Amino acid sequence: MQNTVIEFVDKEITSWGGISILKKMIDMSGFSTYLDTLPLPEQGSNRGYSPQQLFLLFMSSVWCGADRFSHMDITRLDTSLQCLYGWKRMPEHKAFECYFRKFDIPTSHKVFGGTLPLVFQQFEI
């Protein structure tokens, strides 16, 4: 059994520490870059968040246990998570609700039809 060293650090910490694992998986898989290539619906407002940020924060919130849009405000208030991704500001849950309303069945299929094969290509069998 390994000894655990407990020491003071002069850095921000987060209760969502496991999110760094998700961030590493996203980075290693190239998922962020892949999101840039998808024909995601654009925001209508100049204050709107990028679709990529909305998807990555949505994934991160679900990873942290959010199972309702309103639960996403918990991760929104976490500045460590914001720093991890390098975002200047974080959307509230209503931004997700408004953005995801833009997806109907044809749009969803057009955008995400090829996503599942990309995910499974990352696994070595």
Side-chain angles (χ1 to χ4, degrees), residues 12-20 22 49 53-96 100:
E12 288 188 38
I13 61 172
T14 178
S15 57
W16 313 114
I19 205 70
S20 63
L22 176 65
Y49 294 88
Q53 180 180 357
L54 291 172
F55 274 101
L56 293 175
L57 186 54
F58 179 79
M59 289 172 53
S60 299
S61 297
V62 170
W63 183 276
C64 291
D67 58 358
R68 299 183 191 282
F69 282 120
S70 62
H71 295 170
M72 293 184 190
D73 284 341
I74 294 171
T75 51
R76 173 186 181 229
L77 301 173
D78 192 327
T79 57
S80 297
L81 183 64
Q82 185 176 354
C83 291
L84 180 66
Y85 280 97
W87 294 326
K88 294 181 192 258
R89 55 193 184 104
M90 302 278 272
E92 66 175 346
H93 73 277
K94 290 183 180 188
F96 295 98
F100 288 141

Side-chain angles (χ1 to χ4, degrees), residues 20-72:
S20 63
I21 296 169
L22 176 65
K23 175 75 164 84
K24 286 179 185 176
M25 288 180 1
I26 289 170
D27 291 344
M28 291 176 66
S29 69
F31 189 72
S32 293
T33 308
Y34 179 71
L35 282 174
D36 292 336
T37 67
L38 294 175
L40 297 171
E42 290 298 319
Q43 295 286 58
S45 167
N46 61 350
R47 294 195 54 188
Y49 294 88
S50 76
Q52 293 80 359
Q53 180 180 357
L54 291 172
F55 274 101
L56 293 175
L57 186 54
F58 179 79
M59 289 172 53
S60 299
S61 297
V62 170
W63 183 276
C64 291
D67 58 358
R68 299 183 191 282
F69 282 120
S70 62
H71 295 170
M72 293 184 190

Side-chain angles (χ1 to χ4, degrees), residues 26 29-41 55-56 58-59 103 105-123:
I26 289 170
S29 69
F31 189 72
S32 293
T33 308
Y34 179 71
L35 282 174
D36 292 336
T37 67
L38 294 175
L40 297 171
F55 274 101
L56 293 175
F58 179 79
M59 289 172 53
F103 286 88
I105 299 295
T107 304
S108 297
H109 186 68
K110 183 172 88 174
V111 171
F112 296 109
T115 301
L116 199 54
L118 172 79
V119 170
F120 284 115
Q121 287 174 359
Q122 301 303 315
F123 298 107

